[in-house]
Amino acid sequence: MSSIAQIIRPVREHFKRALKWIVIANAGLAVLGILFGGSTDVVLRVHGTSLLVAVTAVSLAVIEQGRFRAKIESVWIAGSLCSVALGVTLVALIWGFDPPDSFGRPVGSIAVVAAATTYCAVISGIAQRTRLRRVCWGGAYVHSLYVLAIIWFQFDFMPGRILALLAVGQTACSLIAVIDFIGARRSTIAGSKRSELRAQYCPYCGAKDLTRPINVIECRLCGGRFQTLDRLMS
């Protein structure tokens, strides 16, 4: 099985069912906001809640897919919990929750962990090379630690410049991962097309009316069966 085929795997049944209900609830919120929104403020809150539910669901789906490529269960669980906690907190803020001043740092830390884990899950799915995947993960780890240090310690040692440098490096690694993914996908598609075009006619009778079963190719005219060289070598 190719590396591309290993990227997207079926999510667990209970998780898939939960995502479906999240999508249904999200659509219901949007409909309620449109039909029964009495004021602009209520409509904006309903649509804001709908957007946050959708973003949280996407984050959870991405993190769940990342588990299949890298077995770091504690990281994925922490990221999922932080993503849910962040979504619930932001929804509460939209609907009028007034937190104390000390609430900002924990929420900011949760947001950093959720964003970093989601990013690592995306890289886990698209990065073809193990070394590139580890470089992207390491960059995200350093970037997250630096942001958490700024949140909790508020030091002034060139935070803007260092964050900019980290962002440039992270962006470069991410773009390389995307380019590798696109290139590998195109190569796989091109290879499959070449394999399909390799058998043009029946070697027994010369007819071009061929079927393509899973393991062998059969001529509809004479009934002869044969395999192409790429199948015999695979």
Side-chain angles (χ1 to χ4, degrees), residues 131-132 198:
R131 181 177 299 178
L132 177 61
R198 190 164 296 177

Side-chain angles (χ1 to χ4, degrees), residues 192-205 207-232:
S192 64
K193 288 183 178 178
R194 286 194 295 269
S195 296
E196 290 176 359
L197 296 174
R198 190 164 296 177
Q200 297 291 333
Y201 57 88
C202 175
Y204 303 110
C205 66
K208 294 184 177 181
D209 190 9
L210 306 175
T211 62
R212 297 188 181 276
I214 296 177
N215 295 320
V216 297
I217 299 173
E218 182 177 354
C219 176
R220 289 194 176 116
L221 184 62
C222 69
R225 294 188 175 189
F226 60 95
Q227 290 180 287
T228 55
L229 182 62
D230 61 317
R231 288 187 180 277
L232 290 172

Side-chain angles (χ1 to χ4, degrees), residues 123-207:
I123 293 298
S124 175
I126 68 174
Q128 299 299 299
R129 291 177 287 176
T130 303
R131 181 177 299 178
L132 177 61
R133 186 160 60 244
R134 290 176 178 174
V135 169
C136 290
W137 286 352
Y141 180 73
V142 173
H143 205 152
S144 301
L145 287 181
Y146 189 76
V147 173
L148 289 173
I150 292 176
I151 291 174
W152 288 97
F153 301 107
Q154 297 180 345
F155 56 89
D156 296 326
F157 180 67
M158 296 188 300
R161 292 185 180 182
I162 295 178
L163 283 176
L165 290 173
L166 291 173
V168 168
Q170 203 69 46
T171 302
C173 290
S174 303
L175 289 176
I176 293 174
V178 172
I179 292 170
D180 279 2
F181 175 74
I182 294 174
R185 185 176 181 184
R186 287 181 177 176
S187 298
T188 303
I189 294 174
S192 64
K193 288 183 178 178
R194 286 194 295 269
S195 296
E196 290 176 359
L197 296 174
R198 190 164 296 177
Q200 297 291 333
Y201 57 88
C202 175
Y204 303 110
C205 66

Side-chain angles (χ1 to χ4, degrees), residues 6-23:
Q6 292 175 348
I7 290 174
I8 303 300
R9 294 176 182 265
V11 296
R12 297 170 186 173
E13 194 62 32
H14 68 277
F15 186 77
K16 186 188 298 184
R17 191 180 301 113
L19 283 180
K20 289 180 180 178
W21 281 110
I22 289 175
V23 172

Side-chain angles (χ1 to χ4, degrees), residues 24 41 47-48 56 65 69 71 90 107 143 196 216 226:
I24 293 172
D41 183 59
H47 284 292
T56 303
Q65 290 294 343
R69 197 71 184 272
K71 303 298 183 180
L90 292 178
V107 173
H143 205 152
E196 290 176 359
V216 297
F226 60 95

Side-chain angles (χ1 to χ4, degrees), residues 22-84:
I22 289 175
V23 172
I24 293 172
N26 184 40
L29 285 173
V31 170
L32 290 175
I34 294 172
L35 295 179
F36 303 107
S39 64
T40 303
D41 183 59
V42 174
V43 172
L44 289 176
R45 288 182 177 182
V46 171
H47 284 292
T49 302
S50 176
L51 176 63
L52 288 173
V53 169
V55 171
T56 303
V58 169
S59 176
L60 291 175
V62 170
I63 293 173
E64 182 69 15
Q65 290 294 343
R67 291 186 179 186
F68 292 108
R69 197 71 184 272
K71 303 298 183 180
I72 316 175
E73 289 295 330
S74 58
V75 174
W76 304 133
I77 292 174
S80 299
L81 293 176
C82 287
S83 183
V84 172

